[in-house]
């Protein structure tokens, strides 16, 4: 009996010591070490890849897209469609985003995709102008018409074949911070006209903020919309 109690006590003691040691290592030392290394070597990324304007104020993150819309006529009208502010470069559509309807104490935007197939609403593989309402094709057709109308100026007419895919389709998260150089270039004439800038100035702005493929072969060239618009704001004020 005494041996059994002694063995149980030893096992319990060993278990408690192991729990204490692992708690200190995994719950204190490891997190502190990882946090310290991240802050020392990757300070910007560890703190959310914040983007600051010239005054040093944080205006967003390079990882999360933002919208650039005009204020609603009625902020409380959920049915009122948003209108893009044409002074700024516009991001990709965000059709997959949703609103928080579970806990209305918080005003949240839920990340997500449309979950529609690439040929949703297509007839014989083609998205027609009379595509069924609510389908991906209907969204793409409407978005393409809007892109052409918004970005055509008196001196520059946007052609349907000039509209890249990322101008009319949302990303998997709906929060993509980047657009393709083709979409950024498509917006140059409109942005220049709206801000009373020379087209060459805005073209240079896009070129300066175009990032190539990661390590030269991964991904696609891209333009961060927030960073581009911060530079545009500085150029307009200058």
């Amino acid at each position: 009996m005494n041996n059994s109690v002694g063995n149980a006590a030893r096992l319990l003691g060993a278990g408690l010591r192991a729990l204490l040691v692992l708690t200190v290592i995994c719950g204190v030392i490891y997190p502190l070490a990882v946090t310290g290394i991240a802050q020392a070597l990757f300070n910007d990324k560890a703190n959310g890849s914040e983007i600051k304007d010239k005054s040093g104020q944080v205006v967003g993150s390079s990882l999360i897209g933002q919208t650039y819309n005009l204020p609603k006529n009625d902020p409380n009208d959920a049915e009122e469609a948003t209108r893009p502010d044409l002074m700024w470069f516009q991001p990709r559509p965000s059709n997959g985003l949703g609103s928080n309807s579970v806990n209305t104490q918080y005003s949240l935007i839920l990340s997500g995709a449309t979950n529609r197939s690439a040929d949703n609403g297509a007839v014989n593989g083609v998205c027609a102008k009379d595509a069924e309402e609510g389908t991906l094709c209907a969204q793409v057709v409407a978005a393409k018409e809007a892109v052409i109308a918004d970005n055509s100026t008196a001196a520059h007419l946007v052609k349907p074949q000039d509209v890249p895919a990322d101008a009319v389709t949302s990303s998997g998260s709906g929060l993509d911070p980047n657009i393709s150089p083709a979409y950024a270039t498509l917006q140059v004439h409109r942005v220049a006209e709206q801000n009373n800038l020379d087209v060459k100035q805005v073209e240079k702005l896009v070129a300066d903020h175009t990032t190539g493929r990661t390590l030269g072969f991964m991904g696609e060239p891209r333009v961060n919309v927030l960073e581009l618009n911060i530079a545009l704001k500085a150029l307009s004020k200058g």
Side-chain angles (χ1 to χ4, degrees):
M1 182 67 178
N2 289 336
N3 287 338
S4 298
V5 172
N7 290 335
R10 282 194 296 275
L11 290 174
L12 180 60
L16 290 174
R17 288 194 297 274
L19 175 63
L20 178 62
V21 170
L22 290 174
T23 298
V24 172
I25 293 175
C26 299
V28 180
I29 297 175
Y30 176 74
L32 287 176
V34 171
T35 301
I37 292 171
Q39 290 293 334
L41 301 180
F42 312 102
N43 181 265
D44 175 61
K45 292 181 175 60
N47 291 313
S49 300
E50 296 173 340
I51 295 180
K52 300 179 180 179
D53 59 16
K54 282 192 171 182
S55 67
Q57 181 179 358
V58 176
V59 294
S61 168
S62 63
L63 303 175
I64 300 176
Q66 297 186 17
T67 55
Y68 298 86
N69 296 324
L70 294 169
K72 286 187 174 184
N73 295 323
D74 182 3
N76 297 319
D77 184 2
E79 299 300 322
E80 182 183 344
T82 56
R83 297 167 296 151
D85 188 342
L86 300 181
M87 288 184 60
W88 306 104
F89 284 93
Q90 294 295 314
R92 296 184 66 170
S94 52
N95 298 324
L97 296 184
S99 58
N100 171 37
S101 59
V102 178
N103 188 345
T104 55
Q105 179 182 356
Y106 302 99
S107 178
L108 303 176
I109 295 178
L110 307 182
S111 172
T114 61
N115 290 331
R116 292 185 174 92
S117 64
D119 61 351
N120 179 239
V123 178
N124 296 324
V126 178
C127 285
K129 286 190 175 182
D130 58 350
E132 182 182 350
E133 186 177 354
T135 63
L136 180 62
C137 273
Q139 291 179 355
V140 168
V141 169
K144 191 170 187 177
E145 291 176 350
V147 167
I148 293 172
D150 289 345
N151 291 283
S152 292
T153 65
H156 178 76
L157 180 65
V158 176
K159 300 175 183 178
Q161 59 267 31
D162 295 334
V163 180
D166 63 311
V168 297
T169 56
S170 58
S171 64
S173 68
L175 298 172
D176 195 337
N178 304 314
I179 57 176
S180 66
Y183 187 25
T185 300
L186 181 144
Q187 302 182 60
V188 163
H189 286 81
R190 182 253 300 162
V191 169
E193 181 180 80
Q194 291 284 328
N195 291 278
N196 298 314
L197 296 171
D198 185 77
V199 170
K200 294 294 183 184
Q201 288 180 291
V202 184
E203 286 179 338
K204 184 177 185 303
L205 208 63
V206 171
D208 290 343
H209 288 81
T210 298
T211 303
R213 291 179 172 87
T214 303
L215 300 179
F217 68 93
M218 291 192 296
E220 294 293 333
R222 58 200 179 277
V223 180
N224 187 283
V225 180
L226 177 56
E227 293 176 353
L228 181 60
N229 279 331
I230 291 174
L232 172 64
K233 183 178 180 180
L235 180 64
S236 300
K237 287 187 174 181

